[in-house]
Amino acid sequence: QQPVQSPQAVILREGEDAVINCSSSKALYSVHWYRQKHGEAPVFLMILLKGGEQKGHEKISASFNEKKQQSSLYLTASQLSYSGTYFCGTGTYNTGNQFYFGTGTSLTVIP
Amino acid sequence: EAGVAQSPRYKIIEKRQSVAFWCNPISGHATLYWYQQILGQGPKLLIQFQNNGVVDDSQLPKDRFSAERLKGVDSTLKIQPAKLEDSAVYLCASSLGQGTYNEQFFGPGTRLTVL
């Protein structure tokens, strides 16, 4: 029931854009996105609660397609500070309050 | 506002020994989570408390792991006896309400090494 993320890893130059995908085999009613830097705890980025919802957070935004059981995180004009591992987290209809983090995407931004 | 506190930050034990971790959530947060994060993987939910009741412990290895949240505030996670595969970072998180609808705030974690 762990959501699958793609790509597993990506390397960007400063200013480039990236998309990280999160896909679940179960019907979703919420998707969270977190960023974790090496040796640190995950930090919340955003949460999406409705099908088709989109949210933005500075140059980071996300979409949630409830029908496809997918969410995507968009990073535009990447900065060095965006480097880290990104995790989606999902709440599913089938499992009540259970919450699962995804497989993770390592993002490295280089000058 | 004080964040989620955890102790100890690091622990090294021999296999078959026991270990306990402590977590103090953000004041007023009803929901508390314990996660296990093995190097290179995403956090895996072990147990979720709503106040002092267990909401979900389906992924907790109950033969060796136990957790309690007395009075709906602090929580302890215990491993007895530890195995080599328990080496991981144990993260505690809290949220104002039920976690699938609310942002989770994470503590710094406890890095456990089992030799």
Side-chain angles (χ1 to χ4, degrees), chain B residues 99-115:
Chain B
T100 49
Y101 297 105
N102 290 269
E103 171 184 356
Q104 295 182 33
F105 296 83
F106 284 83
T110 297
R111 183 176 298 276
L112 174 68
T113 302
V114 182
L115 303 175

Side-chain angles (χ1 to χ4, degrees), chain A residues 2 29-32 34 36 38-44 47 49 87 90-92 96-104, chain B residues 9 33 35 37 40-45 48 55-56 58-59 91 98-109 111:
Chain A
Q2 181 182 34
Y29 62 79
S30 70
V31 179
H32 299 213
Y34 291 81
Q36 185 175 32
H38 183 70
E40 299 179 9
V43 174
F44 175 81
I47 181 171
L49 297 176
F87 293 101
T90 59
T92 66
N97 296 318
Q98 289 181 354
F99 187 80
Y100 294 91
F101 274 94
T103 50
Chain B
R9 292 294 312 278
Y33 315 79
Y35 289 91
Q37 187 172 26
Q41 299 182 17
K44 171 186 164 185
L45 181 64
Q48 177 183 345
V55 172
D56 175 47
S58 57
Q59 299 191 95
L91 294 163
Q98 201 274 329
T100 49
Y101 297 105
N102 290 269
E103 171 184 356
Q104 295 182 33
F105 296 83
F106 284 83
R111 183 176 298 276

Side-chain angles (χ1 to χ4, degrees), chain A residues 70-82:
Chain A
Q70 292 175 345
S71 177
S72 294
L73 185 71
Y74 307 94
L75 300 100
T76 58
S78 58
Q79 306 167 14
L80 296 176
S81 62
Y82 286 4

